[in-house]
Each structure stands twice: as C-alpha cells, then as structure tokens.
Amino acid sequence: MAGNEGLKVLGLQVSPFVLRVCMALNTKGVSYEYVEEDLSNKSELLLKSNPVHKKVPVLIHNGKPICESLVIMQYVDELFAGRSILPTDPYERATARFWAAYADDKLLPAWYGMVKAQSAEERAEKVEETLSAIQHMEVAFAKCSGGNAAFFGGDSIGYVDIVLGSFLFWFEAVRRVYDLEIINASNTPLLAAWAERFVGTVEAKEVVPVPDVDMAVQCINKLHAPAAAISSQ
Amino acid sequence: MAGNEGLKVLGLQVSPFVLRVCMALNTKGVSYEYVEEDLSNKSELLLKSNPVHKKVPVLIHNGKPICESLVIMQYVDELFAGRSILPTDPYERATARFWAAYADDKLLPAWYGMVKAQSAEERAEKVEETLSAIQHMEVAFAKCSGGNAAFFGGDSIGYVDIVLGSFLFWFEAVRRVYDLEIINASNTPLLAAWAERFVGTVEAKEVVPVPDVDMAVQCINKLHAPAAAISSQ
C-alpha cells in the first residue's frame, strides 16, 4: 500500500464525479489537497493531466494523473489500506460494477436529459426514463443482503453508494426546480431511507467540496432558460 | 480460484462485446459452453439472466449471471488463474481501465454513429470523430512500454487489446462498405502493426463465435438502407 504523499484532486464544486473521488479518499482516510478548477479558464495542470477529456475530476498521485471518476475510485481502493470500497467477493464486485455502470450509463443520461430538455414532451419522456431507472436501482437495493442492508456496500458505504450518492444533491436541485422527487418514500421507499442514511455518513459529511444545491439549481435554470424562452414565445 | 464448471456464454456472432468475453475466457484457458441467441426471439434464460438490459453477452457461472462485457472481463480475470488480463500494477490498471472506457464511450459511439448516419453530412462528422478517437488510441499505444510494446498488455494481449481488438472485424466491414480504413498504415502505423499481431494471436483465433465480417457488412447495409433511400430520392 502506498502513502498519501502528493495527493491532489482537481475538482469542481458542482460535479458529482468529483464528489465521488473525495468520498473515496475519505473512505480510506487519506488526506489530499483539493484544487477548484474554473472550467471557463482551465488550468495548465488540468489540460496537461487530462489531455484527452480535459475534464475534472483528476487525481494526481506523486505527479501522475488518473482520470475518470470510476477509474479513480478503483485506483484509490486498490492502492490504499482502510475499508474496501468495492466488495471483496468477485461476484459481488461484478454486481457493484454493473450497478455503478448502470447509474452512469442509464440513470445519469436520463435525468440530465430531463434537465436540459427543450420541450415539455421531451422532458416528460426523460422523467419517465429517470423514474424507470431509479426503480431498477430500488429493486437492486432490495436484493442487497436479502433486503436488510443499510447500504449497497452492506453496513457501510461502498462503490455503488458513492456513485449513486454523488447524485443526491442534484436530485434535490431537481426537486426544487421541477417539484419532482426522483427518490421518494412512495415509489422508492428503500432508497428514500438509504438516502437519509447516506447523507448522515462521515464520508459524505466530510466531503470537500461541500455539494452546493443552490449552485446546482442555478445550473439547471441556466440550461432551462432556452426552453423557458421557447415556451414563452 | 474457482473451477470452470457450469460456464456458459449467451452470445451473438456479430457482437464485439460477446467476442471480448470469449477472448477473456480463452486468455485464462477455461472451457465454456457457447449459446447463440436469436435477438428477435430472446431465450427465457437471457431474459431471466439480464432482466435490466436484456442483452448479450451474459456469462453464467454456476447458475449466477454476470452482465456487461467489461464487468464480465474483470470478473473472469479476478476469478480464474492464468495470465492476467488487467495489468497488476495499480497505475497501469487505471490506465487500462481509462482506455477501455474511452474505446466504449468515445470510439464506439463515433463509428457506430457513422454507420447509422442518415445523411452524408452526419456521416462526415462521425468519420472525423472516429478518426480523432483512433488517433488518441494510437498515441496511447505509442506510450506503452516506451513505444516498444507488442500489445497494450505488453508481450501478450490484455484488457485494452481485447476491448479494441473486438472492434477489428467491424472495422473491416466498414472498410468494405465505405472504403474507409479506420486503422491504417499512414495515420495509425503503430495500431496497424498491432492489429496484424492481434488477429494472429491464439486468443483471437480460438474465438467462438468466429467473427463474421460478411454478417457485419450485412448489418451495416441494413442500417445504411434508409440513408441510401434518402440520397436516391
């Protein structure tokens, strides 16, 4: 296991992907330097560290960059001692990787599509996709430890918890803007209870940067502006 | 490490994702039963094993299903003895995961977008994206072992080789239909030499199902039909 010398996170306060990296590092109890990026004026360090995507998060470890949140989380898990982020059993690891990919490949595009939809029709379609995707995750969570698990990771948060949990402050922003509860006590009661537990964990509370719902609301409203303009024409 | 009893692959001859799973199992030298699916009439076993995506490939191991090609490859690597598919060094593992994700998230949508484009303009845009993405992978390959590696995995094929290599017979189909060489000796000389080495490996040659370029050409022509109809109007 390596030391944590020279650990730097290039981040953005409003990015769920950055949040994951910070939570993964918190899970391992390693300290790191956090550097907020300005995406309208990206630093030389960011451009040099992630020349392919030019995006945050980037974890820089002893001068070497690692990019993409899921890749970084697995790197952190493999490198540092402390509680495992991924399960140790190969089948459970595969299941965790499956649901993390599902959250990113199905749930995320659906709710992001909803947020940036340019018509009420398109938005309704994406709302339906979002609720269908979260329903799949409710069923997946019900199967964890025979329905008695506190988290996808068991007694403490793990890979899928961090991935899905990183979206929660955006879901809160969606609730404020659209009055839509993606996770709620009626349709997804297990995930609703899970979300309450999740935000109370040390790993989530310690997160730097602190997720900013107001900023997420502003982002949504900015994306929403063209649609509002269209509907008022 | 587990035995290989009860290993079954639900597949489709024309799927690069299925090919990956077969190549991963070949790399480990484990035997398996291959079952070809008919996507127009999916088997009960497929629907039960992958109720979320209802897609191939599915690996069924001792009655338990594992879905999604990258997830399956990592499961196979973690479970079975034999040559490692992912590198053992954590930083190299992260790099391999990064490029595998890049191939699936950037290169694949670009060339698939090209194949199903409905206008010459859209196709030209996707051709450009495809060539740009493959250029990034040429640069990545140049960095492997200081430019002297036979494969992304070093002396033998590994994770990124299998992921990118699974596209090669589709690239050949693209060449036949559009007269476009995605990998060629002028623009991507290192990958062109890599591709020749790759198709000569035991792991690629042993693949069940045998990738069928003619079938891929038919698939492209089927997707291409509406565009041809538009341009002939």
Side-chain angles (χ1 to χ4, degrees), chain B residues 74-154:
Chain B
Q74 291 178 86
Y75 175 78
V76 166
D77 198 27
E78 291 171 2
L79 205 65
F80 295 106
R83 215 178 63 235
S84 284
I85 295 171
L86 277 154
T88 48
D89 172 75
Y91 189 77
E92 287 180 21
R93 286 166 78 83
T95 305
R97 287 194 176 110
F98 175 90
W99 286 110
Y102 182 83
D104 276 10
D105 298 344
K106 298 292 173 187
L107 178 59
L108 172 69
W111 74 257
Y112 189 61
M114 173 181 79
V115 158
K116 66 175 187 171
Q118 296 295 304
S119 70
E121 198 179 9
E122 191 187 343
R123 178 157 297 123
E125 189 187 310
K126 293 296 171 184
V127 166
E128 199 178 320
E129 270 180 39
T130 304
L131 297 180
S132 163
I134 202 74
Q135 199 60 52
H136 273 297
M137 297 208 71
E138 171 85 356
V139 173
F141 185 52
K143 287 183 184 167
C144 287
S145 309
N148 295 317
F151 299 103
F152 286 89

Side-chain angles (χ1 to χ4, degrees), chain A residues 25-41:
Chain A
L25 291 164
N26 289 347
T27 302
K28 293 292 185 177
V30 293
S31 57
Y32 56 93
E33 180 190 353
Y34 176 83
V35 182
E36 180 79 1
E37 281 287 330
D38 172 3
L39 291 197
S40 65
N41 182 23

Side-chain angles (χ1 to χ4, degrees), chain A residues 121-140:
Chain A
E121 198 179 7
E122 191 188 343
R123 178 157 297 123
E125 189 187 311
K126 293 295 171 187
V127 166
E128 198 177 322
E129 271 180 38
T130 304
L131 297 180
S132 163
I134 202 73
Q135 199 58 53
H136 272 299
M137 297 207 71
E138 171 84 358
V139 173

Side-chain angles (χ1 to χ4, degrees), chain B residues 181-214:
Chain B
E181 288 186 320
I182 295 175
I183 290 177
N184 66 60
S186 311
N187 296 332
T188 53
L190 296 176
L191 285 184
W194 163 88
E196 273 194 36
R197 282 192 295 272
F198 180 86
V199 296
T201 61
V202 176
E203 295 87 344
K205 279 185 177 165
E206 271 181 3
V207 160
V208 176
V210 176
D212 189 324
V213 178
D214 290 337

